[in-house]
mmCIF file of all heavy atoms in Angstrom:
data_model
loop_
_atom_site.group_PDB
_atom_site.id
_atom_site.type_symbol
_atom_site.label_atom_id
_atom_site.label_comp_id
_atom_site.label_asym_id
_atom_site.label_seq_id
_atom_site.Cartn_x
_atom_site.Cartn_y
_atom_site.Cartn_z
ATOM 1 N N TRP F 178 -167.953 245.732 -126.618
ATOM 2 C CA TRP F 178 -167.194 245.504 -127.884
ATOM 3 C C TRP F 178 -165.708 245.287 -127.561
ATOM 4 O O TRP F 178 -165.081 244.332 -128.040
ATOM 5 C CB TRP F 178 -167.337 246.717 -128.795
ATOM 6 C CG TRP F 178 -166.518 246.669 -130.050
ATOM 7 C CD1 TRP F 178 -166.363 245.583 -130.855
ATOM 8 C CD2 TRP F 178 -165.790 247.732 -130.617
ATOM 9 N NE1 TRP F 178 -165.552 245.917 -131.948
ATOM 10 C CE2 TRP F 178 -165.181 247.223 -131.817
ATOM 11 C CE3 TRP F 178 -165.583 249.082 -130.297
ATOM 12 C CZ2 TRP F 178 -164.374 248.016 -132.601
ATOM 13 C CZ3 TRP F 178 -164.800 249.861 -131.132
ATOM 14 C CH2 TRP F 178 -164.181 249.326 -132.268
ATOM 15 N N PRO F 215 -163.994 242.881 -135.498
ATOM 16 C CA PRO F 215 -163.345 244.017 -136.100
ATOM 17 C C PRO F 215 -164.348 245.103 -136.519
ATOM 18 O O PRO F 215 -165.499 244.752 -136.937
ATOM 19 C CB PRO F 215 -162.673 243.436 -137.378
ATOM 20 C CG PRO F 215 -163.078 242.002 -137.470
ATOM 21 C CD PRO F 215 -163.891 241.606 -136.283
ATOM 22 N N ALA F 216 -163.957 246.345 -136.352
ATOM 23 C CA ALA F 216 -164.740 247.514 -136.835
ATOM 24 C C ALA F 216 -163.910 248.769 -136.510
ATOM 25 O O ALA F 216 -163.054 248.701 -135.604
ATOM 26 C CB ALA F 216 -166.095 247.603 -136.115
ATOM 27 N N LYS F 217 -164.170 249.820 -137.216
ATOM 28 C CA LYS F 217 -163.519 251.089 -136.910
ATOM 29 C C LYS F 217 -164.387 251.777 -135.793
ATOM 30 O O LYS F 217 -165.589 251.887 -135.959
ATOM 31 C CB LYS F 217 -163.475 251.984 -138.125
ATOM 32 C CG LYS F 217 -162.556 251.476 -139.239
ATOM 33 C CD LYS F 217 -161.361 252.364 -139.356
ATOM 34 C CE LYS F 217 -160.474 252.028 -140.548
ATOM 35 N NZ LYS F 217 -160.006 250.664 -140.677
ATOM 36 N N ALA F 218 -163.694 252.265 -134.750
ATOM 37 C CA ALA F 218 -164.436 252.817 -133.614
ATOM 38 C C ALA F 218 -165.384 253.932 -134.010
ATOM 39 O O ALA F 218 -166.558 253.951 -133.635
ATOM 40 C CB ALA F 218 -163.455 253.323 -132.571
ATOM 41 N N HIS F 219 -164.882 254.867 -134.898
ATOM 42 C CA HIS F 219 -165.783 256.006 -135.184
ATOM 43 C C HIS F 219 -166.984 255.596 -136.044
ATOM 44 O O HIS F 219 -168.064 256.164 -135.895
ATOM 45 C CB HIS F 219 -164.949 257.136 -135.866
ATOM 46 C CG HIS F 219 -164.535 256.824 -137.261
ATOM 47 N ND1 HIS F 219 -163.409 256.063 -137.527
ATOM 48 C CD2 HIS F 219 -165.027 257.167 -138.450
ATOM 49 C CE1 HIS F 219 -163.269 255.958 -138.852
ATOM 50 N NE2 HIS F 219 -164.252 256.604 -139.424
ATOM 51 N N LEU F 220 -166.813 254.543 -136.844
ATOM 52 C CA LEU F 220 -167.953 254.099 -137.671
ATOM 53 C C LEU F 220 -168.964 253.333 -136.805
ATOM 54 O O LEU F 220 -170.184 253.546 -136.907
ATOM 55 C CB LEU F 220 -167.492 253.212 -138.802
ATOM 56 C CG LEU F 220 -166.718 253.972 -139.897
ATOM 57 C CD1 LEU F 220 -166.166 253.022 -140.932
ATOM 58 C CD2 LEU F 220 -167.603 254.979 -140.571
ATOM 59 N N LEU F 221 -168.454 252.479 -135.882
ATOM 60 C CA LEU F 221 -169.384 251.776 -135.011
ATOM 61 C C LEU F 221 -170.149 252.781 -134.154
ATOM 62 O O LEU F 221 -171.360 252.669 -133.984
ATOM 63 C CB LEU F 221 -168.571 250.790 -134.121
ATOM 64 C CG LEU F 221 -169.418 249.937 -133.155
ATOM 65 C CD1 LEU F 221 -170.414 249.079 -133.929
ATOM 66 C CD2 LEU F 221 -168.574 249.112 -132.254
ATOM 67 N N GLU F 222 -169.437 253.795 -133.663
ATOM 68 C CA GLU F 222 -170.085 254.819 -132.821
ATOM 69 C C GLU F 222 -171.174 255.513 -133.591
ATOM 70 O O GLU F 222 -172.265 255.731 -133.077
ATOM 71 C CB GLU F 222 -169.025 255.861 -132.462
ATOM 72 C CG GLU F 222 -168.686 255.904 -131.028
ATOM 73 C CD GLU F 222 -167.889 257.144 -130.720
ATOM 74 O OE1 GLU F 222 -166.756 257.273 -131.227
ATOM 75 O OE2 GLU F 222 -168.420 258.031 -130.012
ATOM 76 N N ARG F 223 -170.885 255.820 -134.859
ATOM 77 C CA ARG F 223 -171.885 256.548 -135.693
ATOM 78 C C ARG F 223 -173.111 255.697 -135.957
ATOM 79 O O ARG F 223 -174.265 256.167 -135.781
ATOM 80 C CB ARG F 223 -171.237 256.913 -137.025
ATOM 81 C CG ARG F 223 -171.453 258.343 -137.418
ATOM 82 C CD ARG F 223 -170.644 258.716 -138.585
ATOM 83 N NE ARG F 223 -171.508 258.767 -139.773
ATOM 84 C CZ ARG F 223 -171.038 258.592 -141.012
ATOM 85 N NH1 ARG F 223 -169.775 258.293 -141.209
ATOM 86 N NH2 ARG F 223 -171.884 258.698 -142.008
ATOM 87 N N VAL F 224 -172.891 254.433 -136.300
ATOM 88 C CA VAL F 224 -173.995 253.508 -136.593
ATOM 89 C C VAL F 224 -174.895 253.369 -135.366
ATOM 90 O O VAL F 224 -176.102 253.483 -135.410
ATOM 91 C CB VAL F 224 -173.448 252.142 -137.012
ATOM 92 C CG1 VAL F 224 -174.514 251.095 -137.006
ATOM 93 C CG2 VAL F 224 -172.763 252.229 -138.387
ATOM 94 N N VAL F 225 -174.237 253.128 -134.247
ATOM 95 C CA VAL F 225 -174.957 252.805 -133.022
ATOM 96 C C VAL F 225 -175.698 254.073 -132.523
ATOM 97 O O VAL F 225 -176.848 253.978 -132.064
ATOM 98 C CB VAL F 225 -173.996 252.240 -131.941
ATOM 99 C CG1 VAL F 225 -174.616 252.195 -130.611
ATOM 100 C CG2 VAL F 225 -173.511 250.886 -132.390
ATOM 101 N N LEU F 243 -177.309 257.276 -143.343
ATOM 102 C CA LEU F 243 -175.926 256.764 -143.328
ATOM 103 C C LEU F 243 -175.372 256.505 -144.687
ATOM 104 O O LEU F 243 -174.185 256.716 -144.966
ATOM 105 C CB LEU F 243 -175.891 255.486 -142.520
ATOM 106 C CG LEU F 243 -175.616 255.614 -140.983
ATOM 107 C CD1 LEU F 243 -175.433 254.235 -140.415
ATOM 108 C CD2 LEU F 243 -174.375 256.473 -140.715
ATOM 109 N N ARG F 250 -176.807 247.202 -147.384
ATOM 110 C CA ARG F 250 -175.702 247.057 -146.392
ATOM 111 C C ARG F 250 -176.199 246.304 -145.164
ATOM 112 O O ARG F 250 -175.454 245.494 -144.561
ATOM 113 C CB ARG F 250 -175.160 248.437 -146.004
ATOM 114 C CG ARG F 250 -174.330 249.051 -147.143
ATOM 115 C CD ARG F 250 -173.895 250.452 -146.761
ATOM 116 N NE ARG F 250 -173.557 251.227 -147.956
ATOM 117 C CZ ARG F 250 -172.287 251.517 -148.266
ATOM 118 N NH1 ARG F 250 -171.284 251.140 -147.551
ATOM 119 N NH2 ARG F 250 -172.062 252.207 -149.412
ATOM 120 N N ALA F 254 -174.843 242.678 -143.808
ATOM 121 C CA ALA F 254 -174.318 242.446 -142.437
ATOM 122 C C ALA F 254 -175.182 241.405 -141.686
ATOM 123 O O ALA F 254 -174.979 241.211 -140.524
ATOM 124 C CB ALA F 254 -174.361 243.785 -141.684
ATOM 125 N N ILE F 256 -178.495 241.658 -141.173
ATOM 126 C CA ILE F 256 -179.551 242.321 -140.405
ATOM 127 C C ILE F 256 -180.742 242.578 -141.316
ATOM 128 O O ILE F 256 -180.566 243.095 -142.424
ATOM 129 C CB ILE F 256 -179.035 243.678 -139.834
ATOM 130 C CG1 ILE F 256 -177.771 243.487 -139.043
ATOM 131 C CG2 ILE F 256 -180.113 244.344 -139.011
ATOM 132 C CD1 ILE F 256 -177.084 244.804 -138.638
ATOM 133 N N GLU F 268 -172.146 241.756 -132.700
ATOM 134 C CA GLU F 268 -171.460 241.261 -133.891
ATOM 135 C C GLU F 268 -172.001 241.833 -135.180
ATOM 136 O O GLU F 268 -171.282 242.210 -136.100
ATOM 137 C CB GLU F 268 -171.556 239.693 -133.891
ATOM 138 C CG GLU F 268 -170.748 239.096 -134.987
ATOM 139 C CD GLU F 268 -170.687 237.585 -134.910
ATOM 140 O OE1 GLU F 268 -171.348 236.971 -134.044
ATOM 141 O OE2 GLU F 268 -169.913 237.008 -135.733
ATOM 142 N N ALA F 269 -173.368 241.924 -135.230
ATOM 143 C CA ALA F 269 -174.004 242.431 -136.480
ATOM 144 C C ALA F 269 -173.774 243.968 -136.592
ATOM 145 O O ALA F 269 -173.583 244.451 -137.705
ATOM 146 C CB ALA F 269 -175.495 242.106 -136.443
ATOM 147 N N PHE F 270 -173.789 244.696 -135.494
ATOM 148 C CA PHE F 270 -173.456 246.115 -135.600
ATOM 149 C C PHE F 270 -172.037 246.310 -136.123
ATOM 150 O O PHE F 270 -171.786 247.239 -136.926
ATOM 151 C CB PHE F 270 -173.632 246.814 -134.265
ATOM 152 C CG PHE F 270 -175.047 247.297 -133.993
ATOM 153 C CD1 PHE F 270 -175.735 246.824 -132.885
ATOM 154 C CD2 PHE F 270 -175.645 248.213 -134.812
ATOM 155 C CE1 PHE F 270 -177.052 247.275 -132.645
ATOM 156 C CE2 PHE F 270 -176.944 248.681 -134.579
ATOM 157 C CZ PHE F 270 -177.652 248.159 -133.480
ATOM 158 N N CYS F 271 -171.107 245.473 -135.637
ATOM 159 C CA CYS F 271 -169.729 245.589 -136.158
ATOM 160 C C CYS F 271 -169.654 245.273 -137.627
ATOM 161 O O CYS F 271 -168.953 245.940 -138.380
ATOM 162 C CB CYS F 271 -168.791 244.603 -135.377
ATOM 163 S SG CYS F 271 -168.611 245.116 -133.638
ATOM 164 N N ALA F 272 -170.402 244.237 -138.100
ATOM 165 C CA ALA F 272 -170.456 243.872 -139.507
ATOM 166 C C ALA F 272 -170.969 245.031 -140.328
ATOM 167 O O ALA F 272 -170.469 245.384 -141.387
ATOM 168 C CB ALA F 272 -171.272 242.617 -139.734
ATOM 169 N N LEU F 273 -172.008 245.706 -139.817
ATOM 170 C CA LEU F 273 -172.628 246.842 -140.509
ATOM 171 C C LEU F 273 -171.589 247.985 -140.589
ATOM 172 O O LEU F 273 -171.445 248.648 -141.642
ATOM 173 C CB LEU F 273 -173.899 247.268 -139.778
ATOM 174 C CG LEU F 273 -174.619 248.469 -140.406
ATOM 175 C CD1 LEU F 273 -175.070 248.184 -141.848
ATOM 176 C CD2 LEU F 273 -175.858 248.861 -139.585
ATOM 177 N N ALA F 274 -170.897 248.248 -139.491
ATOM 178 C CA ALA F 274 -169.907 249.347 -139.479
ATOM 179 C C ALA F 274 -168.805 249.032 -140.553
ATOM 180 O O ALA F 274 -168.335 249.928 -141.230
ATOM 181 C CB ALA F 274 -169.281 249.492 -138.112
ATOM 182 N N ARG F 275 -168.486 247.734 -140.716
ATOM 183 C CA ARG F 275 -167.425 247.355 -141.711
ATOM 184 C C ARG F 275 -167.918 247.661 -143.147
ATOM 185 O O ARG F 275 -167.121 247.990 -143.974
ATOM 186 C CB ARG F 275 -167.064 245.868 -141.572
ATOM 187 C CG ARG F 275 -166.211 245.595 -140.316
ATOM 188 C CD ARG F 275 -165.472 244.293 -140.417
ATOM 189 N NE ARG F 275 -166.346 243.139 -140.601
ATOM 190 C CZ ARG F 275 -166.942 242.470 -139.624
ATOM 191 N NH1 ARG F 275 -166.782 242.848 -138.355
ATOM 192 N NH2 ARG F 275 -167.721 241.440 -139.864
ATOM 193 N N THR F 276 -169.209 247.526 -143.362
ATOM 194 C CA THR F 276 -169.712 247.817 -144.734
ATOM 195 C C THR F 276 -169.573 249.292 -145.074
ATOM 196 O O THR F 276 -169.703 249.702 -146.234
ATOM 197 C CB THR F 276 -171.194 247.423 -144.932
ATOM 198 O OG1 THR F 276 -172.017 248.329 -144.196
ATOM 199 C CG2 THR F 276 -171.495 245.999 -144.459
ATOM 200 N N LEU F 277 -169.363 250.137 -144.050
ATOM 201 C CA LEU F 277 -169.296 251.581 -144.294
ATOM 202 C C LEU F 277 -167.857 252.111 -144.434
ATOM 203 O O LEU F 277 -167.600 253.281 -144.610
ATOM 204 C CB LEU F 277 -169.968 252.353 -143.148
ATOM 205 C CG LEU F 277 -171.494 252.080 -143.058
ATOM 206 C CD1 LEU F 277 -172.026 252.561 -141.703
ATOM 207 C CD2 LEU F 277 -172.264 252.740 -144.154
ATOM 208 N N GLU F 278 -166.884 251.161 -144.324
ATOM 209 C CA GLU F 278 -165.469 251.590 -144.329
ATOM 210 C C GLU F 278 -165.107 252.121 -145.734
ATOM 211 O O GLU F 278 -165.576 251.623 -146.719
ATOM 212 C CB GLU F 278 -164.535 250.428 -144.001
ATOM 213 C CG GLU F 278 -164.454 250.291 -142.484
ATOM 214 C CD GLU F 278 -163.642 249.054 -142.063
ATOM 215 O OE1 GLU F 278 -162.813 248.528 -142.834
ATOM 216 O OE2 GLU F 278 -163.844 248.634 -140.929
#
Side-chain angles (χ1 to χ4, degrees):
W178 176 43
K217 293 248 188 308
H219 70 279
L220 290 174
L221 182 62
E222 247 193 293
R223 228 172 104 206
V224 166
V225 169
L243 271 186
R250 289 176 198 254
I256 304 170
E268 183 171 8
F270 273 120
C271 292
L273 180 59
R275 288 199 299 275
T276 71
L277 297 165
E278 276 174 22

